[in-house]
Amino acid sequence: MGNRGQKRADAIDEFPADKRTCSSLEFRASSSVSPMETTASTSTNQTHDHEMETSSSASGSGSARTDEDKDSAYGSCDSDEMGDTEHRRNRNAMLEYQRQRLSDDQVKFKRVLSVLSGEIEEPAQENALRELCEILSFCTDSSLSSLMANSLSPVLIKLAGHESNPEIMLLSIRALTYLCDTHSRSSSFIVRYNGIPVLCQRLLAIEYVDVAEQCLQALQKISREQPLACLQSGAIMAVLTYIDFFSTSIQRVALSTVVNICEKLPSEGFSPFMDAVPILCQLLQYEDNKLVEHVATCLIKIAERVHQSPEMLDELSKHGLIHQVAHLIDLNSKTTLSHSVDTGLIGLLVKLASGSMIAVRTLFDLNISSILKDILSTYDLSHGVPSPRAVGQNDQAHEVLKLLLQLLPVVARNHEVPLAEEKATFLENNPNFLQKFGNDLLHVLIQVVDSGVDLYICYGCLCVIDKLIYYINADTLLDLLKQANISRFLAGVFTRKDRHVIMLALTISDTILRKSNDAFVDPFVKEGVLFAIDALIVPEKGSNFMFTMFNDIQLSNESSRKQCLCYSFDNCKSSSASESLNCKMDNDSLQTLAKNIQTDYFNKNASTSANGTTDILEKLKSLSAGLASMITHSIPEEGYDHVLHQIMSHLNGPDIISTFEFVGSGITDALFNYLSSGECSRRISDGNGSNGQDCVAERRLKTFARLFWSNFSLSEFISKLQSGLSSVEDFPVVVNNVSKHRNSYATVPYRHCTTYPCMKVLFGKEDGELTLVDYSSDVQSVDPLSDFDAIEKFLWPKVCLESNKDDENGSVTSPNNVEPTSGESSRRNEFASDSMDHDQNTTEKDSSMSTEHPQSSQNDGHLSFFLEGKLIDRRSTLYQAVIRHHKAQYDTVTHAALWNQTHKVTYKKASKSEEISSQYFRCHARWSSALKKPLFSEIGSAVEKSTPCYNILFLLRILEAVNRFRYHITSYEKIHAFAQGRISDFDGVRVTGEGVLDISNNEFVNSRLTEKLEQQMRDPLAISTGGMPSWCSQLMASCAFLFSFEARCKYFRLTAFGKPQSQTRVSSGSSSTIQNDSTMPRKKFLVYRHQILESATKMMDLHAGQKVVLEVKYDEEVGTGLGPTLEFFTLVSNEFQKTGLGMWRGDSFLDSGLVGSPFGLFPGPWAPTVSVSNDIEFSEVKRKFLLLGQIVAKALHDGRVLDLPFSKAFYKLILGQELNLYDIQLFDPVLGKTLIEFQALIEQRKYLESVGKISADDLNLCFRDTKINELHLDFTLPGYPDYILASGPDKEMVNSANLEEYIELVVDATINSGISRQMDAFRSGFNQVFPIDNLQIFTDEELERLLCGESETWNSTQLSDLIKFDHGYTASSPPILHFLEIIQEFDYEQQKAFVKFVTGSPRLPLGGLASLNPKLTIVRKHCDKVVDADLPSVMTCANYLKLPPYSSKETMKEKLLYAITEGQGSFHLS
């Protein structure tokens, strides 16, 4: 072998210009380098170029801009001002050029072919081949005819087989490569003239490396069109035999050839590709991720081809394949594969385990259950693949369950399956394997089912549990089940309405009771398993019981599901085949097995009570009945304390109370009736209420809250409520199995095109309806997003007898010829033009309106609508109504049930609505409106009233509000304690953290509902059309605390901006970031550093209302993109904090400096009559607040971080919450504390007057031993002497008589009238970007995190894990160790300066350093001069720090501090 055959380094482009792997890379877009390499080689340039790209859609008009616009806006599309004549002339010239070039190319091809076909010297052949390569590099498909390609192929193949001249070999093979690129049929010509064996021979000879590399390039092209010919010619072994001789890039090319061949393996003969398995198994150990993915793909395809041959599966199981695959799918593996390949590898193990005992033994030896446990335990639906998972979809969880089912033998009650006996014998002889399997997986499988996954995954988990429990021995089973509450789990499974799932729950129960009868009979009774079994036998028992979780179980085979669950995990059945098979279950099998279990295990057990209940359940029932009786008989409020204490004593007592007992006892119903205070609303509506007396609702809520201030655990009670909610909730997750949006045509409510499917509906009048006529016997195509008001507008003229009579006298309107009003038309046209931009807020707003105005009725229109006989809520869309109807019958709603079936909707004339009293909100004036909402507002129509689900949601909402406003309630209580003399001095009125409930917000999060919302938000159709089930918006509006912060962040982006954000990342911790989606259009904007606010104003005036991402470039500075943009928002933040703006409390109106705000920024009050103060016009202040609203909204929209220290009270105002006296302490503790003490004096006087101890005239109030009138307070706002609160003879000085009025005026001026105009301006600016109401699903603390990011301190371990070290540095490099020590030594301000230096913003995004994107990267900076004299530099767009290798830690710290302090304010160190 000559020196050409030496193995080369891994550098891709180190070949000489004329000996590169494929020089076409220099000439043509379709190069012979693999697509992956092209992407890799250009990714760096694309990263930087992308920062300068803009979208034409965001640039507005294409017309010429004014000079002013040119100074500010970048990236607009250039307008085409060329005239039509010139355009035609240029086009004709281009066509003439193309014709001339085509003619020239054909002449050149003929000349070169003539030269190469003749007998000429080798130098002449080389020159001709070079010319041919150049022609092929530039020519198009039309330049090369099939005849010419057919003529060139044999000549080039002959030259490729040249025996001695490597240059001719290289050039001829290169020409063949270009030929395949240029002409689509060239591959078939090469095959016809036996070109593939020639290339394979050159590869196997491998005399010259560059020739061999060119052979690989050529084979890659040929294999795309002729994979079978390549296989038959031995190309797989040819490209793999000497693969180690090549660089990584060429190895990828070789493997892509094998992938192309394996994609279309023939149905007969194994040897051509099975011979390559040993080499492929070795290649799985390589470090290059892309190479390993290619190898994995080849092995996956081979396994699919041979999975029906046990001998071939045994052969595959050798050579270390299973070891390598197990290592790759392990979450701790350093090799990162794509999701599809990772899932495919699990599927490969499924096929091996289905037919090879060698594979089964090896997998158990490798402890595969531990690896699969990790995959399932981190199976987070928020980052998974869209559901539902049917057979044929390579979803990872689905494949994991298939593997688990293949590892365990089928149970004896099932049909014969290959290897079942061998597997059973193996596990009997190795019981430790089964025990380890159970210890690893049982808890995780239970957790997955409990999380509310879709029916297919639930069924798969239960199948694994069924097999595991069937084969494990009794003693091991008892130990295993002690670790998991299997009784509670099975009771939850029985709430599923699918008969297949219920059958598995019964078989698991039967197996457990058969093996350990004595240990599980009582738990089954306690957790409600026995009750569920009884409900299967006697359905009336479940429907009559207050615990409705076991109602409506489907006992027949009738289902709208597309595929029967019986076949959902069959390894060999195809999806189409399994759909046509009948269900394996008999109609009466459920009841038969239920009766057998009841007879065999419960009727014979003397300890089981006759009605299947427990003592604690009967006690709780008795207490709830007692409380209900007291409410009915209007017992005085003081009488409730005893029974409430009894209830809480049992709930917090030593006896364990199951979810079944807790909900089934009626405790939640009784507490709901107690707290919802029907008595209160009756007294007030009757006019018997008194403004001086607390209403019943307030007193009851305070009584209930005091229970948890004394002896009872609020956390434990919340936990019980959460468990109960997870058991009784039945909210549907509707995931449409529609891969692409298809255009449809709707005829109802009017004719229009839609970009989503329409529903088939048959309208007819309800039985017994005599005043209306039938509409039509034809099936209508109805827009699924139409609400029933719109449908009624369509139907009413056609079904009303009076209307029809009128039509007889006039023109008759065709049923399908109704046109929309102008408003409807414009809205629908906009909707149809871009379904992704559909305003999803429509549903949310309707839902929120229903909660805010409970007096609205679902019978407001002319018609009432029914779906299959059940009344439809008019506020829902047709889509939502169908979902709710099908979910009530089946546990899942499929594509077929929604779009393929015909839905029968009937109508009748509506009765007049009954108005509900609106007096609910007339409670005591001091009662916070924030606590009125959970007491009296509706939860939503998606939750049926008078059900355990509704009652539990009500109680959770009450407790969350009590927890959130705990300081308000405590302050209120202490003021009254002072008034009654239970507290003797003012210091006791002050609220401290002691004795105050402080429950984490996470305790109110329901994981099951969060999982369901995550699943629902992944449905592309529901997201794009706004067709998510109504419960999503209604619960988010009324009970947002039920969902995790991460889930609410995603929901916020969907509802506020209308599109899913592909780059919404969730960090490894518990935080998530809302970062901007790179697919959004971008707009450049030129900014002047000396005019930051002016630039910001101009930016917002132009782009606030546009859905574009703004990026900043500074005038006369290098750098643009993410870093400068983040710095811009930071600079704007600083500008808003400067003194002299008149915006904030504490503004000293000096010319320089920042507003002193130790407790956060809060708007400064302006008197309604004042227009100028301290030479500042109020109109300018309003403009500043409007700009601030725009900036805050745009920062949230674009995913930017602001450095604005708003007070918590200001965040509450942004969220639309009302402030009161107790909130003043959040931004002005001194004033707030004083006002609370004044209020305590007022309450003390009122109390003494009420008990008759003193009259109003006799009491002179004293504040800390000083009479009020001696405090010399006037009626001006404290701190604002120009703000006159009131005027008049009795309003000159504050005294005991007018102190209460003074307090009210100060509070009003501070948090209401004095700042209302500023807040109106802020909201107005905010709403220009997106509706501010979308933020109401967050708390004030969460909004601060969203807007201002994270403030975190770092330790060495965190930093080394979260920072990438590259290009000369590793985590153990001495300069890096010095750097990590220095960063930890920085104080808070220095850390902020460092973060700003590297990223452009002093605050990290939500999620902290872990969610920084791109990841913070530190590389070695190569210096031309002395290292210690150089400074660090950054690329803020890429979070890229270039750090010189300083000689000492001290020098590094000095240079870093200098750079992060002096380098701010420009991008000269970029």
Side-chain angles (χ1 to χ4, degrees), residues 394 578 1233:
N394 289 327
S578 61
K1233 176 175 175 291

Side-chain angles (χ1 to χ4, degrees), residues 178-369:
Y178 292 172
L179 196 62
C180 292
D181 263 342
T182 305
H183 197 277
S184 57
R185 294 186 57 193
S186 297
S187 297
S188 60
F189 298 148
I190 294 173
V191 172
R192 179 187 302 171
Y193 296 110
N194 295 320
I196 297 178
V198 173
L199 296 175
C200 293
Q201 181 183 357
R202 286 292 169 217
L203 272 176
L204 292 171
I206 199 166
E207 296 174 293
Y208 309 102
V209 171
D210 48 0
V211 173
E213 289 173 347
Q214 194 63 63
C215 286
L216 290 173
Q217 302 279 4
L219 284 172
Q220 183 198 34
K221 306 289 183 184
I222 298 169
S223 64
R224 293 175 184 169
E225 303 296 330
Q226 300 290 331
L228 183 58
C230 291
L231 176 67
Q232 294 170 345
S233 300
I236 291 182
M237 291 304 298
V239 301
L240 292 179
T241 301
Y242 297 107
I243 194 170
D244 286 338
F245 282 83
F246 304 107
S247 65
T248 300
S249 61
I250 301 302
Q251 287 176 341
R252 291 181 181 179
V253 173
L255 263 302
S256 66
T257 303
V258 183
V259 170
N260 292 337
I261 297 173
C262 290
E263 289 284 353
K264 296 182 180 179
L265 293 174
S267 57
E268 65 281 336
F270 299 131
S271 57
F273 54 84
M274 287 299 294
D275 294 340
V277 169
I279 301 177
L280 292 172
C281 291
Q282 292 178 1
L283 292 173
L284 284 176
Q285 304 176 42
Y286 280 37
E287 295 182 357
D288 183 70
N289 289 357
K290 186 60 66 176
L291 188 110
V292 173
E293 283 199 358
H294 285 331
V295 176
T297 303
C298 295
L299 290 167
I300 291 168
K301 296 299 180 183
I302 291 173
E304 290 176 358
R305 169 65 187 83
V306 304
H307 77 275
Q308 293 183 340
S309 171
E311 295 80 10
M312 291 297 102
L313 290 177
D314 284 340
E315 182 64 26
L316 266 181
S317 301
K318 302 173 184 176
H319 315 296
L321 172 61
I322 296 176
H323 291 75
Q324 293 303 322
V325 172
H327 171 73
L328 289 173
I329 66 173
D330 194 334
L331 295 183
N332 298 318
S333 173
K334 293 183 179 180
T335 305
T336 305
L337 304 178
S338 67
H339 180 85
S340 58
V341 173
D342 210 25
T343 304
L345 287 175
I346 301 173
L348 183 150
L349 295 180
V350 173
K351 292 175 177 60
L352 293 178
S354 66
S356 172
M357 274 307 298
I358 296 176
V360 172
R361 294 189 187 97
T362 306
L363 287 169
F364 273 108
D365 288 335
L366 290 174
N367 193 21
I368 193 66
S369 60

Side-chain angles (χ1 to χ4, degrees), residues 1141-1157:
L1141 297 178
M1143 296 178 65
W1144 310 111
R1145 293 181 70 89
D1147 191 341
S1148 59
F1149 298 97
L1150 300 176
D1151 293 334
S1152 61
L1154 301 179
V1155 175
S1157 54

Side-chain angles (χ1 to χ4, degrees), residues 29 199 248 318 445 538 595 616 687 789 932 1155 1192 1210 1318 1322 1424:
L199 296 175
T248 300
K318 302 173 184 176
L445 292 168
V538 186
K595 290 177 181 177
I616 188 67
D789 286 331
K932 292 179 198 171
V1155 175
V1192 169
F1210 187 64
Q1318 297 94 302
F1322 178 91
D1424 297 331

Side-chain angles (χ1 to χ4, degrees), residues 1165-1173 1178 1282-1287 1313-1314 1317:
W1166 280 72
T1169 58
V1170 175
S1171 59
V1172 179
S1173 177
F1178 182 67
D1282 295 335
Y1283 196 123
I1284 307 300
L1285 296 174
S1287 59
S1313 61
R1317 292 176 295 167

Side-chain angles (χ1 to χ4, degrees), residues 582-651:
N582 294 324
C583 181
K584 299 176 183 178
M585 289 180 58
D586 298 329
N587 281 338
D588 58 350
S589 56
L590 275 177
Q591 287 189 327
T592 301
L593 183 55
K595 290 177 181 177
N596 291 339
I597 294 174
Q598 185 189 58
T599 302
D600 294 342
Y601 307 113
F602 292 101
N603 290 349
K604 298 177 181 178
N605 196 310
S607 64
T608 305
S609 61
N611 57 358
T613 62
T614 59
D615 293 339
I616 188 67
L617 176 56
E618 295 300 327
K619 290 179 183 177
L620 291 175
K621 278 185 179 181
S622 175
L623 289 171
S624 63
L627 180 59
S629 176
M630 294 173 69
I631 297 172
T632 303
H633 294 89
S634 303
I635 300 297
E637 294 301 312
E638 295 76 13
Y640 290 101
D641 289 348
H642 178 66
V643 68
L644 289 174
H645 272 79
Q646 279 190 310
I647 291 173
M648 289 302 160
S649 297
H650 279 88
L651 294 179

